[in-house]
Amino acid sequence: APQQYQSALGSGFVWDQNGHIVTNNHVVNGAGKIEVTFSDGTIVPAKLVGADPDSDLAVLQVDVTADRLHPVQLADSNAVKVGQLAIAIGDPFGLEGTMTTGIISAVGRSLPADETAAQSYTIPDIIQTDAPINPGNSGGALINAVGEVIGINTAIFSQSGGSHGIGFAVPIQLAREVMAQINEHGRVIRGWLGITGQNLTPTLAESLGIEMRDGILVSGVLEDGPADKANVKPGDLIIRLDRKPISGSQQMLKIVSEKPPGDPLGITLLRDGKEIEQVAIVAERPALDGR
C-alpha cells in the first residue's frame, strides 16, 4: 500500500534571540518534519528541543540570523484580571496572521491536558477567554492591550469544532517554568505521589459520617507508589501538606508537582477521626501515555 502522509497546522511565537519558538505539543506531536513560516512568508526547518504533554507545550528552535527574530514581550499572567482585553493571534483555518479580540472571561480554571483522554494531570490556573479561537490558533499568543503575551491558546470548548466564545490559554508563567526545565533537563520534571482523590464535599462528608472540612479524600493509591510506601490508604482525608492546609485538589496538585523528586513531603491525614502524620518521598511523575 502507498505510504500516507498527514500535515497539521498550528501557530507559535518567537521566545528569544536564540531562535526558540513556543507552540502547543499537540501541534507538533508525532511530526516527522517541522517547518516554521514567518510573517514575511519565509519558511525554515525547525527542530524539536523538548515537549511537555502535560501542559501541552512544545519548544522548537530555528537556525536563522538574529535580525530575523522578534521575540515577544512577556507579561505576568498572575496579574491577569477578569474583564481585561484579550487578543488572540494565530492562523485559524490556515488564515495567516489573524487577530481576534475579546476579554478575559475567567482565570484559575482547571483543564485536562487532553480532553479526549482520562488523564489525572490538569493544567492549573488556565485562562479562559471569549476571543474567538478556532482550529489553527493552537500555540498562538494571547496578548493584553499593550501587546504582552499573557497565555498560549490551547483549546476550545465546542461541540461543532468552531468557536463558541469559550477558549482556553496556558498562562505564560507556566510556559516560563516549562521553558526553563526543557532548556536544563530536556524535559519537565514534576513531583508525584501516586494517588487519586477528590475534594471533600458536604454530600461526601455526610455519607462518610465525618465533619465537613477542607481536604482531599483519597480514592485510590498506586501499589508501591510514594503514597503507598508512606501508608496512605483509600478513605484517608489529606488535610495538610508540609503542615500547610489543603483547600482543594488544584492546590495539592501544584504543591506536589513543584516538589523535587527525592524530597520528603509531610502528609497530615485524618483517619477514623484521628490525625496521622506521615512522610512520603516524592517520585518523578510518570509521563502520560508512556511518553
Side-chain angles (χ1 to χ4, degrees):
Q3 192 168 5
Q4 293 184 335
Y5 296 91
Q6 287 185 320
S7 61
L9 188 66
S11 305
F13 54 85
V14 178
W15 184 270
D16 57 27
Q17 291 291 162
N18 294 322
H20 289 121
I21 292 173
V22 173
T23 185
N24 278 149
N25 177 64
H26 75 258
V27 171
V28 297
N29 186 36
K33 178 181 179 182
I34 302 172
E35 292 181 332
V36 170
T37 303
F38 286 93
S39 56
D40 64 0
T42 302
I43 301 175
V44 297
K47 67 176 183 179
L48 179 65
V49 178
D52 180 36
D54 294 334
S55 63
D56 195 17
L57 295 180
V59 179
L60 312 177
Q61 190 168 28
V62 293
D63 184 13
V64 298
T65 57
D67 63 322
R68 295 190 57 81
L69 299 171
H70 303 285
V72 298
Q73 295 295 313
L74 304 179
D76 178 4
S77 56
N78 291 331
V80 170
K81 305 292 185 185
V82 173
Q84 279 185 222
L85 177 68
I87 303 170
I89 302 176
D91 291 3
F93 301 109
L95 299 171
E96 298 179 4
T98 296
M99 299 176 65
T100 54
T101 64
I103 62 168
I104 301 299
S105 305
V107 295
R109 297 285 198 213
S110 294
L111 183 70
D114 182 353
E115 289 188 301
T116 65
Q119 297 175 345
S120 60
Y121 187 82
T122 57
I123 306 173
D125 300 326
I126 205 81
I127 297 170
Q128 182 182 329
T129 180
D130 68 350
I133 295 173
N134 286 288
N137 271 117
S138 291
L142 185 71
I143 67 175
N144 60 19
V146 293
E148 299 169 329
V149 178
I150 57 177
I152 297 139
N153 301 318
T154 294
I156 58 174
F157 185 84
S158 173
Q159 294 178 326
S160 66
S163 174
H164 288 179
I166 303 177
F168 301 101
V170 174
I172 204 66
Q173 296 303 108
L174 177 56
R176 291 179 196 265
E177 298 167 11
V178 168
M179 171 64 81
Q181 289 218 40
I182 284 178
N183 279 335
E184 184 175 354
H185 306 292
R187 69 186 195 282
V188 178
I189 299 173
R190 292 186 174 89
W192 176 72
L193 286 179
I195 65 171
T196 56
Q198 57 186 313
N199 294 345
L200 186 66
T201 64
T203 302
L204 269 175
E206 183 180 357
S207 67
L208 295 170
I210 60 177
E211 180 183 352
M212 176 58 199
R213 60 181 299 171
D214 287 338
I216 304 299
L217 183 66
V218 178
S219 56
V221 180
L222 184 68
E223 185 177 356
D224 291 330
D228 184 33
K229 292 177 181 178
N231 196 32
V232 177
K233 300 181 181 299
D236 288 345
L237 184 68
I238 298 176
I239 56 176
R240 288 189 292 274
L241 290 177
D242 280 343
R243 301 188 181 278
K244 296 178 182 178
I246 294 299
S247 59
S249 57
Q250 188 170 338
Q251 179 196 11
M252 180 174 175
L253 174 66
K254 184 175 177 62
I255 292 173
V256 175
S257 295
E258 293 176 353
K259 199 78 170 175
D263 277 15
L265 177 66
I267 304 175
T268 305
L269 305 170
L270 190 64
R271 181 187 296 167
D272 298 327
K274 298 178 181 179
E275 288 191 11
I276 301 173
E277 299 286 345
Q278 305 286 22
V279 176
I281 303 301
V282 175
E284 181 177 349
R285 204 176 71 78
L288 297 178
D289 298 330
R291 288 170 287 185

